Amino acid sequence: KAGVTQTPRYLIKTRGQQVTLSCSPISGHRSVSWYQQTPGQGLQFLFEYFSETQRNKGNFPGRFSGRQFSNSRSEMNVSTLELGDSALYLCASSSNPGGQPSGNTIYFGEGSWLTVV
Amino acid sequence: DAKTTQPTSMDCAEGRAANLPCNHSTISGNEYVYWYRQIHSQGPQYIIHGLKNNETNEMASLIITEDRKSSTLILPHATLRDTAVYYCIVRGASGGSYIPTFGRGTSLIVHP
């Protein structure tokens, strides 16, 4: 069974541009969440989607947005890029956000490395 | 989510057991303990999780104290490839959506 797939793996953008990152969850998983990881702030939650609806949102500016499609695939977009947006962006999927008695394991993709110059 | 406390770094000799502690004194009854690890430049890898019983899988063992206020991840025979940052997190498993909060984790270095 394939894991969480993220594309592109690496990309370089210029300040002021916008970027779209893509995530394909594990087959059968309907919840997708996004995280930003930087050396200074560590792993920070961006937002979570389930059945095409945003369920939770972290403390990030409106330049960061996302969406989920009917096949559970998700995209996140960052507009008006700033140097500080350089980070590893991680996507994770789980069967559902609510969880079951045995727990609700989240599985991560390899991430997309974004460099803003 | 309950907060966790882990040592910043640890080291272990190859072939020996690596015991990574985690304190989660404010954990509530329906929160599970999860362990992930992250090797440089890769996404976090799920290792194991548990509620109150000790758990074992092909990667590691998880020992949770009876009061559930702390746990220990055990890598029985550490190899150089186990060098990574290990994260202990707690999150609920029922109702609504529980977002895991990742701390700084423990940087484990396995040396020859």
Side-chain angles (χ1 to χ4, degrees):
Chain A
K1 189 163 161 178
V4 178
T5 305
Q6 292 187 245
T7 57
R9 189 82 169 89
Y10 303 94
L11 68 167
I12 300 174
K13 291 286 187 177
T14 304
R15 272 182 303 174
Q17 287 187 314
Q18 67 94 26
V19 66
T20 298
L21 307 177
S22 180
C23 173
S24 293
I26 291 172
S27 178
H29 284 189
R30 297 169 61 195
S31 174
V32 173
S33 51
W34 289 89
Y35 297 79
Q36 181 197 65
Q37 186 172 31
T38 60
Q41 299 297 321
L43 239 164
Q44 293 186 289
F45 169 74
L46 279 159
F47 27 65
E48 179 193 29
Y49 287 87
F50 179 75
S51 293
E52 302 178 66
T53 302
Q54 188 179 89
R55 296 266 312 218
N56 285 284
K57 190 176 190 305
N59 188 26
F60 278 82
R63 300 185 296 108
F64 292 82
S65 63
R67 59 178 177 168
Q68 185 180 34
F69 303 96
S70 58
N71 60 359
S72 294
R73 193 176 66 83
S74 177
E75 289 180 347
M76 68 160 284
N77 184 79
V78 187
S79 62
T80 319
L81 284 165
E82 301 176 359
L83 296 179
D85 297 332
S86 295
L88 176 64
Y89 289 87
L90 292 159
C91 172
S93 76
S94 58
S95 54
N96 65 71
Q100 298 160 7
S102 62
N104 184 26
T105 302
I106 293 174
Y107 296 92
F108 286 83
E110 292 302 304
S112 293
W113 283 96
L114 170 65
T115 300
V116 182
V117 297
Chain B
D1 286 343
K3 294 189 176 181
T4 62
T5 305
Q6 299 177 253
T8 303
S9 63
M10 296 181 65
D11 71 284
C12 172
E14 189 177 19
R16 304 296 295 269
N19 299 294
L20 290 85
C22 178
N23 284 319
H24 31 79
S25 58
T26 59
I27 193 170
S28 59
N30 69 343
E31 290 185 311
Y32 283 73
V33 179
Y34 281 81
W35 283 83
Y36 288 82
R37 72 181 182 184
Q38 187 173 26
I39 296 169
H40 184 60
S41 301
Q42 299 181 20
Q45 176 189 24
Y46 165 77
I47 302 173
I48 197 168
H49 75 279
L51 183 61
K52 51 186 174 182
N53 297 322
N54 297 338
E55 302 287 344
T56 296
N57 62 19
E58 65 279 2
M59 290 182 69
S61 294
L62 174 61
I63 308 297
I64 303 174
T65 58
E66 193 169 339
D67 62 8
R68 303 208 327 121
K69 293 185 177 181
S70 66
S71 61
T72 301
L73 178 74
I74 301 173
L75 307 178
H77 305 287
T79 70
L80 299 179
R81 286 180 294 181
D82 291 323
T83 293
V85 177
Y86 287 77
Y87 297 98
C88 165
I89 62 173
V90 293
R91 56 189 293 261
S94 64
S97 180
Y98 292 83
I99 305 303
T101 300
F102 286 79
R104 290 297 185 171
T106 296
S107 176
L108 174 68
I109 297 175
V110 180
H111 54 83

